[in-house]
Amino acid sequence: MSIYVGNLSYEVTESALNEVFAEYGSVKRVQLPVDRETGRMRGFGFVEMETETEEAAAIDALDGAEWMDRTLKVNKAKPRR
DNA sequence: GTTGAGCGTT
């Protein structure tokens, strides 16, 4: 299972995102996809935690929270197709 | 600025 993190600033880095989520559990993986054509940030990312309990805690704590002057959108990610 | 990649093998 992974977490979707939307409405991110283009200035956010994977390590910065990692630090925020690490407050609620062990971050297993962080990914900030860039547009393959333009090489620009897409404004969202994905985070995987060690357990579903930690993921739920992070989603509950960070969804709707303000970070880097943006209101985060955090929820369970859809499986990649 | 709202759901990732590559695909000839992650």
Side-chain angles (χ1 to χ4, degrees), chain A residues 5-9 43 62-74:
Chain A
V5 187
N7 201 35
L8 290 173
S9 165
L62 297 172
D63 184 37
E66 277 192 28
W67 187 58
M68 306 293 281
D69 288 323
R70 308 199 66 82
T71 303
L72 297 180
K73 307 295 183 182
V74 185

Side-chain angles (χ1 to χ4, degrees), chain A residues 13-73:
Chain A
T13 63
E14 289 186 352
S15 57
L17 199 59
N18 191 315
E19 286 177 25
V20 173
F21 278 78
E23 282 188 56
Y24 307 97
S26 303
V27 177
K28 203 193 279 188
R29 171 184 176 179
V30 177
Q31 184 175 42
L32 291 178
V34 295
D35 189 293
R36 204 155 57 81
E37 305 290 308
T38 67
R40 285 171 215 180
M41 305 285 299
R42 300 194 61 182
F44 64 90
F46 293 91
V47 177
E48 288 179 33
M49 310 287 288
E50 205 55 56
T51 69
E52 290 187 31
T53 302
E54 291 170 338
E55 294 186 337
I59 291 170
D60 184 63
L62 297 172
D63 184 37
E66 277 192 28
W67 187 58
M68 306 293 281
D69 288 323
R70 308 199 66 82
T71 303
L72 297 180
K73 307 295 183 182

